[in-house]
Amino acid sequence: MKTRRARMILPFEKFANHVFERAYEAAKTEARKKSIADIRMLLKVVALSPSITRTKIGNNKTPIVLHHWVTLRCNASCEQCLWKDNSRPQMKTDEIKKFYTEAAEAGIVSTLIGGGEPQLRSDIGEIYRHAKEECGWKVGTATNGFFVEKRIDEFGDYLDTIVVSFDSADPKKHDRIRGIDGLFERAYNGLKKIKKEYPFIHAVINTCLDNNSVDEVEDIIALADELGVPVSFDVITTVQHTADKGTIDKKSHLIDSYERVGEALHKIIEAKKRGAVVFNSEHYLNHFECGKQPYECRYPHVFLRVMPDGDVEDCMQIDNPIGNVLETPIAAILSSERMEQFRRNAAKCCSCSSPTMIDSSYFYDNPVGLISELTVKRRKNPA
């Protein structure tokens, strides 16, 4: 079993530490109110939830989480995916490291690295290492799990969180949905290795909720319990917005009705009340109770999404990026009028169904409320 080694506190981590200290006090107060005996998970959520800065520190307009898709290449062919692109260019290692350093200096304090499948990159260990050790960030990654068991020893020391996808508790069905024979077994074994050898990594399984999975949420919760990790559910988003062709609905055939989704989420709420370790807020789980509900999107206040080639994405027009980090300093992009316009436009949109968007929007306005909802009791590691 490995333990996290100590490292030097870098100068631009002071801002992150200040955020955490303020959030820590808020979390303790909330924990006392709710008589929560073990608040370690609560504090983990706080540490990874940067929009606490808005109410605790001030009106900082810099997003605090870098949502970096380091590649859109993927070895899977998931039915629900909107993004796979095996031909899109991607930044080189040194370009990413330079960009990360500039982003840290601009005020970003954590990153979620995804794709595509990020572990298809041979340099992914160095990317994680730079984010963790040179930038001082909280580092999370999302993966289909195919390479985890084989490669975790390259980069396990540099991860705080890993999210592994499971779209069914049935191995054959999961492999069919994602288009890779043997994927379930490889992801399962990878998580078991993380639990055994890297217990400091917060491992989570995530399920894309659509017609394929809506009737087996209880089985997926049982799978998470078997693995000894929390589970999150992510209602799929079916549309993309473009400047050229407007809104394109690509995946609506994968959701028969949001009422059916609401019924599945109600089962999740009941399981959570019985003690299931579900890493979704009740706010999110209730969001679809009477069909899909409107909300004001605050995603661009909390996250900065950068694509593999360095484009800073405007998700209201994905074919018209805000800028490119290889051409323009990130601080200039963040302070640009185009970024301000993106934030204003996004507030009028509610097309995304992901908890990333819905919970971050809620958290932006009510951080302590969402922190308390996301609190889950910590599991004991299975023997």
Side-chain angles (χ1 to χ4, degrees):
M1 180 184 296
K2 299 186 179 182
T3 57
R4 181 79 80 196
R5 60 176 179 270
R7 58 184 178 81
M8 181 177 67
I9 301 296
L10 300 174
F12 40 79
E13 283 188 84
K14 293 179 180 179
F15 176 72
N17 289 340
H18 183 49
V19 172
F20 184 78
E21 288 171 6
R22 296 286 188 92
Y24 181 89
E25 293 304 317
K28 286 198 298 184
T29 300
E30 192 66 19
R32 284 195 294 268
K33 289 179 183 177
K34 293 182 175 292
S35 300
I36 300 171
D38 185 351
I39 63 169
R40 285 174 292 179
M41 180 64 77
L42 179 66
L43 298 178
K44 186 185 292 288
V45 175
V46 174
L48 291 171
S49 300
S51 53
I52 193 79
T53 58
R54 179 176 178 270
T55 55
K56 295 297 174 185
I57 294 181
N59 214 5
N60 190 332
K61 292 184 178 181
T62 301
I64 313 298
V65 179
L66 170 63
H67 197 175
H68 187 202
W69 293 0
V70 292
T71 184
L72 291 184
R73 293 186 298 120
C74 193
N75 57 328
S77 299
C78 305
E79 294 179 13
Q80 70 275 16
C81 182
L82 292 169
W83 298 108
K84 179 178 176 179
D85 183 350
N86 285 338
S87 64
R88 185 157 180 170
Q90 55 194 40
M91 288 190 281
K92 299 175 182 178
T93 313
D94 288 346
E95 291 172 332
I96 290 175
K97 291 162 70 173
K98 181 176 182 293
F99 159 53
Y100 280 14
T101 298
E102 291 177 357
E105 291 169 349
I108 287 172
V109 298
S110 60
T111 185
L112 175 61
I113 296 173
E117 173 48 56
Q119 290 165 26
L120 279 173
R121 291 191 62 131
S122 61
D123 60 353
I124 193 63
E126 176 60 15
I127 293 171
Y128 293 144
R129 186 207 65 78
H130 185 84
K132 186 68 180 177
E133 294 200 330
E134 305 301 327
C135 298
W137 286 344
K138 294 286 183 179
V139 179
T141 195
T143 174
N144 63 34
F146 188 85
F147 300 102
V148 168
E149 183 179 20
K150 181 179 179 180
R151 297 196 64 188
I152 188 65
D153 291 334
E154 296 176 38
F155 48 72
D157 285 342
Y158 313 123
L159 293 179
D160 294 282
T161 301
I162 188 166
V163 181
V164 182
S165 298
F166 283 88
D167 290 334
S168 174
D170 178 343
K172 290 184 178 179
K173 182 178 178 182
H174 174 77
D175 293 354
R176 175 186 62 76
I177 293 169
R178 295 203 160 242
I180 306 180
D181 291 340
L183 177 58
F184 183 100
E185 181 180 7
R186 292 181 72 134
Y188 186 97
N189 291 340
L191 273 174
K192 295 293 283 187
K193 182 173 182 177
I194 288 172
K195 291 292 292 181
K196 180 180 180 181
E197 299 183 19
Y198 296 87
F200 52 81
I201 298 177
H202 177 51
V204 182
I205 70 172
N206 183 75
T207 296
C208 292
L209 203 59
D210 58 17
N211 292 344
N212 286 312
S213 56
V214 73
D215 292 326
E216 57 174 305
V217 294
E218 291 163 323
D219 292 337
I220 291 168
I221 291 171
L223 171 65
D225 185 67
E226 178 183 325
L227 284 163
V229 299
V231 57
S232 63
F233 292 89
D234 188 336
V235 179
I236 68 164
T237 296
T238 65
V239 303
Q240 290 179 312
H241 304 292
T242 69
D244 183 38
K245 298 180 180 179
T247 299
I248 305 172
D249 193 334
K250 295 183 175 181
K251 302 291 181 178
S252 59
H253 62 283
L254 289 177
I255 294 186
D256 288 341
S257 74
Y258 284 99
E259 287 75 16
R260 190 176 171 207
V261 169
E263 292 171 2
L265 294 176
H266 180 73
K267 291 179 182 178
I268 297 167
I269 291 172
E270 293 303 309
K272 191 172 182 177
K273 289 178 179 177
R274 294 192 299 269
V277 185
V278 176
F279 204 62
N280 291 101
S281 71
E282 289 190 19
H283 172 81
Y284 179 74
L285 296 174
N286 284 317
H287 184 77
F288 301 88
E289 184 176 5
C290 300
K292 191 173 180 181
Q293 302 299 309
Y295 64 95
E296 290 187 11
C297 182
R298 307 294 192 182
Y299 175 86
H301 291 270
V302 181
F303 292 87
L304 174 72
R305 181 181 292 175
V306 176
M307 305 306 285
D309 55 6
D311 281 348
V312 177
E313 187 183 74
D314 178 343
C315 55
M316 301 300 297
Q317 41 184 333
I318 61 173
D319 52 345
N320 185 20
I322 296 169
N324 187 288
V325 300
L326 297 179
E327 301 168 357
T328 307
I330 189 61
I333 293 174
L334 291 174
S335 61
S336 67
E337 174 55 30
R338 175 68 192 284
M339 180 64 77
E340 285 295 321
Q341 185 62 50
F342 170 41
R343 295 187 185 108
R344 291 192 293 268
N345 291 342
K348 303 172 186 176
C349 180
C350 58
S351 61
C352 289
S353 298
S354 170
T356 304
M357 285 67 178
I358 294 174
D359 272 344
S360 64
S361 298
Y362 175 45
F363 197 7
Y364 183 78
D365 294 317
N366 185 18
V368 173
L370 187 60
I371 290 169
S372 63
E373 287 187 26
L374 283 170
T375 304
V376 293
K377 292 181 180 179
R378 191 180 176 99
R379 292 183 186 275
K380 294 180 179 179
N381 286 333

